[in-house]
Every structure is written in structure tokens, then in C-alpha cells.
Amino acid sequence: MLAIAESCTGGLIAGACTDLAGSSQWFERGFVTYSNAAKTELLGVPTALIDAHGAVSEPVARAMAEGAVRHAHAQVSVAVTGVAGPSGGSADKPVGTVWFGWCVDGAAHTEVVRFAGDRAAVRAATVRHALARLAARLR
């Protein structure tokens, strides 16, 4: 079973999954944790982790992926946290920066990607990348 933890995509990954007929056989739930408080309350991401590294970071993406599995009846998760734009970027985390987390059978993996384009392009690329890399990890 799959759980999704989304920030910058606001539910688009869960939507892409549930667009598929038969997804009830493998899709357990989605968490839209756009705010830092939601990341903490729904996924158990420690506030101190967010304060130390920022919401868009490797430790937070990992904690989101692990928290999604822990707070769902799932063995697999995908998590995304990023800066979709057009504002909110910084020198260290420019617009288009997205951290990904995947948890498959207890092993967490993370990756950062910087996508080009406007807000819609960044979000669409994030959905595609999250699901493509999940499929590769499950093979």
C-alpha cells in the first residue's frame, strides 16, 4: 500500500495515483502537509528539524516519507517538499528546488532536483519525477 506526503504539489501526486482505475487496491492515503504545522501534526516531523534545516531540505523530506508510512497502513511512501514559485526562493533554495523522499519497506531514500519553468511546470515535473522514481524503486 502507498501513502503520499505532499507539500509543494498540494495533492497532485495523490490525484495522479487515484486517476488510475483500480488504485484502491494499492493507494492507502495522501497527506497534504503544506504548512510546517501540518508536517509536524500529521506526519510527526519534528519542529526542531524544520527550524534547523528549513521545510525544503533533505532531513524534512526523509522525515515526511518515514512519517507517511508510520501514520498510514502503508509499506511504501513518496514525499515532496519544495519551492514551486514564483516567489519563496533563496540563493540556497531557488524556485524549482524540490526535495523528494521515498520509503520502501523501511528504507528511506532522498534526492533533490531543480526544475525549470513556472509554478505549473515545476509542480507537473515534480509529480512525474516522484512517480517515475517510485516505480524504479519498486522494480
Side-chain angles (χ1 to χ4, degrees), residues 29-99:
R29 73 181 71 181
F31 299 92
V32 178
T33 57
Y34 208 72
S35 70
N36 291 345
K39 289 172 183 63
T40 298
E41 292 166 16
L42 298 176
L43 300 172
V45 176
T47 302
L49 199 65
I50 297 169
D51 291 345
H53 301 280
V56 179
S57 65
E58 189 279 338
V60 171
R62 179 180 299 274
M64 288 173 67
E66 293 169 342
V69 167
R70 202 170 44 252
H71 291 88
H73 304 287
Q75 298 75 42
V76 176
S77 70
V78 175
V80 296
T81 182
V83 184
S87 61
S90 67
D92 290 341
K93 299 172 189 176
V95 169
T97 302
V98 180
W99 273 99

